[in-house]
Amino acid sequence: MRSLSPPRRTAPTALAVLFVLIAFPQISAAQQQQDADFARMVREWTTRPEFLSPLVDHLAVAPGVPSPKDVLGYHIGAPKKLTYYADILNYYRTLASRSPRVRVVTIGKTDEGRELAVVFIAAEETIRNLDLYRDYLGRLADPRGLSEAEARDLIPRAKPIYHLIGGLHSPETGPPEMLMELAYRLAVEDSALIGQIRDKIIVSITPVAEPDGRDRYVDWYYRHLVDIDDERARIGGPPYWGKYVYHDNNRDIHYSQVSTRALLKWYLEWHPPIMHDIHESVPYLYTFSGQAPQNPTLDPILYGELPWFANFEMAQMTKYGMPGVWTHAFVDMWSPGYLGFMSSNHNGLLRMYEVFGNGGATTMKRKLETASGRPSPQTEREWYRPSPPYKEVEWSIRNNVNYGQTGVLSALQLASAFPEVILDNFYRKSRNSIESGRKDAPHGYVIPAGQRDMTRVELLAGLLRTQGIEVGRAAVEIKVKEGTFPPGSLVVKRDQPYGRLAKIFLEKQEFPDPNLRTYDDTGWTLGLATHTEVREISDSSILDLPVEMVTELKLPGKPAGAPSGPDYAVAHFGSNRMITLRYRLKGAVVRAAEKPFQAGDVEFPAGSFLISAGPPGSAVAGEVRTAVESLGLTGSATAPPPVPLHEVDLPRLAVYSTWGSTQEVGWVRHALDQFEVTYDLVFKERVRQGNLRAAYDVVLIPNQGGSAKRIVYDVEGRDKPLAYNRTEQFRYLGAYGESEDIRGGMGLEGLMELQKFVRDGGVLITLGSASFLPADFGLTRSVNASRPSAQFYAPGPIVEAEILHPDHPIFYGYAGKTVPVRYANGPLLDLPEEEKARRMLMKFPGGDQAVLSGLMKNPGEIKDRPAIIEVPVGKGRVIMYATNPCYRWQTHGEFNMLFNAILHFNDMGAPAGR
Ligand SMILES: [Zn+2]
């Protein structure tokens, strides 16, 4: 019973206190002076009495400590009021400056330079000793060397951090507002419940997980959305949130984006046992309980904790009379790639809400129905939805704040009633992870030294290290049941705190039930995705192998000999950094070998660079050697080899983006930026202007829109222009592209310009669903693109593809005849039988044995279908990918199939001649 009892509270008994907290949480708050204006306004803004709870219908007045209204000028949840990020931060900073119970720490900067912060709220004593509590959690997070008795002694002294995240998705505007009020309430309210939360746990807050997107969305809201109160007249959000991606900031399995990476870094220093990510979508409050399919590698305790919290919140809120709180039926526990999973992936507990929202602060009538006009299933009673949402409702942002905050306070109530259980679970999950690595095979993984391209080994080790996974290097030869590996090989042992996570990343994903659907990808196996050799080791002696911990793996390249005139050779072993090298040596003459050749003791594959380095000691020679070495590539001074060569010209590259679907384009932009490729991002405005061939050599249309029509016609017409440009009032619009009116797409006139571009000798590259465009609109007359049948289901598995023209420049650096690629639900490309031999560059062998990781149902449907096609059109060509070689920050092994096409755009010969 000890854990139930709040400290420094003499009477009543522990059980009675709990009873009071549950039944009459507002009672002791009545002693404190309350803000009458707040109570009155909140009642007015809440659209039905049952949408308010006794936890949030009042706000204490604390002399000297500013409420949100004291700083912002309005109460949280005021209609038509959204707060810009700087004002949100300013509120927390002001609160922290006046309350010893609040502290703000900076954890980094966004792409656009905004400060990233975490706000801590707890009892004054706790805040004073925050570092001590951080250290306690660090001990429990890595219990190696901590005895059971020491853990028992530590747990009652430690305090769990309960971390809250709002605003990851920019149109989900309520939670960042709500969290400000919650912070104030936690800091000042005198009630038994809030006192217990302050004393027993530490609450921390990410005010806005995507600050750049927050400001852009608030601008967009005030410019276009604020007066729309008819649900049917609603329009979409701005073309961009953050710099690159939309929702995928919650699918970024490797935390490639700077804001999410900063949060992961903070996580690994502070180890909050619970992370709670608050989103907006389904009515009225959905609390995630970890439904199937569940990743079986994660600790089973986690799957008990999830419904424990969710059911408590549902029961509490239902008791307060709030309808529409439910659980169990939205999102699953399969992919480890969601932002908040940084907690469950690291032996903590992930929590997630969806709260009903209007995409802003405008009150509107919402009908809950399906696209065909029937009542939404979410309004139906189910065992997990005993009090369903209404079929029609007037909804306000204050309702959203009431629901979100009441839910969170209920969760904090539970956490503060059982802090020792939470800490004990956290400790045990961490310990279990280590023990499972000792008990259960595989016991580890070896990433052998001496792989052809060590830059991808470096990448892979870096991705594991980012997640806090320990990677060791063996100084001696490794001899295990699975074979012998050379000295310098990397070893990931499973008997470490994040050994389970290592397994999740490195193992083959076996989806548990093909009849289950999943919310995101089914396959992500790191070795396959990066085309790196990783060996699973079931020989437990691997655990005893001495290794040196790798903190930062930087493998310098192997430049042999001084670059001397005329040539210096750089081997194309498949490194994605070949394109970086080419761009870094912009001014140099770089040629590519079309056949393999030998120089010194290195076999240089086709696609290797021959760089005219000038005389030894010249500036160019020095630059070449430095670039080769720093990029981890292999080079050698050589005489010109006796093989055909072509110049590697840098194309004038345009990347086309619709205004309505910028995310997948964003991932390609991100990869191009990371590898230092220069390009123009162009929109319908530029394409319609025409004369594309005079300005560009290559137009790249990344996967987007889902269909050819969507790419051509894009954002639907409305009665008013939808401007996305910067003005004095709206400073955050117009980033990454500007438009007076984003509606209408390139239209047929834009399409004609693309056709002209290709006919005049340009190269058009289409990735993934963008390949519907040339097929459906007849740019490539003989190619058809269709969709798989309803029986086909491929949520991002990794499958085998067969390279049919290994000497084609697109495959420079690829050594095998078959390669792993990611394939999702389409398109299915096809071309006439007589053209296949010449124009189909890569195909899917299909069949069950070709599914390497994840789920593909009915894999026979892709059997022998083209994966990449090259078609001549006029003087130019179209290269169509059924795959998306640049999918998120994930398909690193495929990036080169795009990079090679960019570098060798004018060196592919006549397609008909192949
Ligand atoms: Zn969301």
Side-chain angles (χ1 to χ4, degrees), residues 169 172 279-280 354:
H169 292 157
E172 303 168 12
H279 289 255
E280 265 181 35
E354 298 287 349

Side-chain angles (χ1 to χ4, degrees), residues 8 55 163 188 324 382 391 559 603 611 671 706 779 794 810 816 887 890:
R8 296 192 294 280
L55 303 189
H163 187 74
V188 306
E382 296 283 353
K391 292 182 172 56
E603 165 90 19
I611 303 165
L779 259 60
I810 282 182
Y887 172 76
Q890 221 166 307

Side-chain angles (χ1 to χ4, degrees), residues 364-442:
M364 65 179 79
K365 189 172 276 179
R366 301 289 302 273
K367 261 186 156 170
L368 303 179
E369 52 189 22
T370 62
S372 58
R374 281 204 299 273
S376 157
Q378 286 158 352
T379 62
E380 280 162 23
R381 182 173 179 147
E382 296 283 353
W383 68 265
Y384 50 81
R385 192 161 45 227
S387 170
Y390 308 150
K391 292 182 172 56
E392 205 174 306
V393 70
E394 178 102 10
W395 195 255
S396 69
I397 191 169
R398 185 63 220 188
N399 294 355
N400 173 290
V401 169
N402 295 341
Y403 267 78
Q405 194 172 183
T406 303
V408 166
L409 284 167
S410 302
L412 296 177
Q413 176 181 357
L414 185 64
S416 57
F418 294 98
E420 293 186 24
V421 173
I422 290 162
L423 291 170
D424 188 39
N425 287 2
F426 181 51
Y427 158 66
R428 253 157 230 290
K429 284 182 284 182
S430 305
R431 214 180 69 174
N432 290 350
S433 177
I434 298 164
E435 282 171 5
S436 123
R438 293 198 189 116
K439 280 196 325 252
D440 312 318

